Amino acid sequence: MAGRKQFDMDVALDAAMVQFWRAGYAATSVDDLSRATGLNRSSIYASLGDKDSLYLRCLDRYATRYGEQYDQALAGAAEDPLRAVRAFFDVTLRRIADPAVPDGCLIAQTAMAIPALSPAIAARAVRALEAQQKRLRAALTAAALPDARDFAVHFAAVNQSLAVLSRAGASPRELRTVVDVSLGALSPSPRPRSGPRSGTAARTRT
């Protein structure tokens, strides 16, 4: 049929997203996007927008896709916050281990490049980071967890650090260790081991 688009928009956006994710905004040219999507330059501008507009679409697409997975993971936080936060981190660890997508995190690498990005892209990255804190804070508040806001800030920061560490070559075991240590703050505090009372210990040292 005349005038019908001969490409799948979702496929093209995913290809562009992966290209930006792999190389970053600055290192990705329109020619790179053309090769990734299979569209010529004029088709990219006509259907997907200019580079900034396309990057914003890809960033929103990424945030929505993984944000929905994070929300599902945290859905049971009111009943079992430890299990829910572990499931939250598992979303990130599975993404990092997925050979079909690049290492790291598109939001994290965008945030690190903010000084070189347009105000619109910078603002969108900040909004995505705030959304991650917000979903964690809501889940931990629902669990009646003391210091829910502080935990949300911490866990969001740890989540972004996993992406950065993976790009730097950290092993799956090292990334899991980072998660386990952070989750230790949510675990019930172990009962102190019994030992000599302070007076006895003091007499022993004298």
Side-chain angles (χ1 to χ4, degrees), residues 9-141:
M9 179 67 77
D10 287 333
V11 171
L13 286 172
D14 275 347
M17 181 180 72
V18 169
Q19 172 60 39
F20 281 129
W21 187 352
R22 179 179 294 111
Y25 175 87
T28 295
S29 67
V30 176
D31 286 338
D32 292 328
L33 293 167
S34 178
R35 284 188 290 271
T37 61
L39 302 174
N40 60 38
R41 294 172 66 96
S42 60
S43 294
I44 288 176
Y45 286 116
S47 301
L48 303 177
D50 61 17
K51 184 178 170 182
D52 271 24
S53 298
L54 179 53
Y55 193 85
L56 286 170
R57 292 179 71 175
C58 290
L59 194 59
D60 286 345
R61 189 176 185 83
Y62 179 97
T64 298
R65 177 172 300 173
Y66 291 105
E68 289 174 351
Q69 295 181 36
Y70 287 133
D71 286 337
Q72 291 173 9
L74 292 169
E79 293 75 29
D80 190 341
L82 180 61
R83 182 176 181 178
V85 177
R86 184 177 292 280
F88 169 87
F89 284 125
D90 282 344
V91 171
T92 299
L93 295 178
R94 283 196 303 270
R95 187 190 68 224
I96 289 171
D98 185 353
V101 297
D103 283 339
C105 168
L106 183 59
I107 294 172
Q109 72 184 50
T110 303
M112 289 188 290
I114 277 177
L117 298 176
S118 70
I121 295 177
R124 198 71 58 88
V126 170
R127 192 187 311 165
L129 291 172
E130 290 173 343
Q132 191 163 100
Q133 282 191 28
K134 183 177 179 180
R135 65 169 47 95
L136 280 162
R137 184 168 65 250
L140 297 175
T141 299

Side-chain angles (χ1 to χ4, degrees), residues 107-194:
I107 294 172
Q109 72 184 50
T110 303
M112 289 188 290
I114 277 177
L117 298 176
S118 70
I121 295 177
R124 198 71 58 88
V126 170
R127 192 187 311 165
L129 291 172
E130 290 173 343
Q132 191 163 100
Q133 282 191 28
K134 183 177 179 180
R135 65 169 47 95
L136 280 162
R137 184 168 65 250
L140 297 175
T141 299
L145 189 75
D147 303 319
R149 182 181 296 272
D150 292 341
F151 273 118
V153 172
H154 174 75
F155 289 143
V158 171
N159 198 48
Q160 297 305 318
S161 75
L162 295 173
V164 176
L165 290 170
S166 73
R167 279 220 161 182
S171 69
R173 181 177 179 180
E174 290 171 327
L175 297 178
R176 177 60 69 181
T177 297
V178 172
V179 170
D180 289 344
V181 171
S182 293
L183 289 175
L186 283 182
S187 301
S189 300
R191 185 175 297 177
R193 281 186 275 181
S194 59

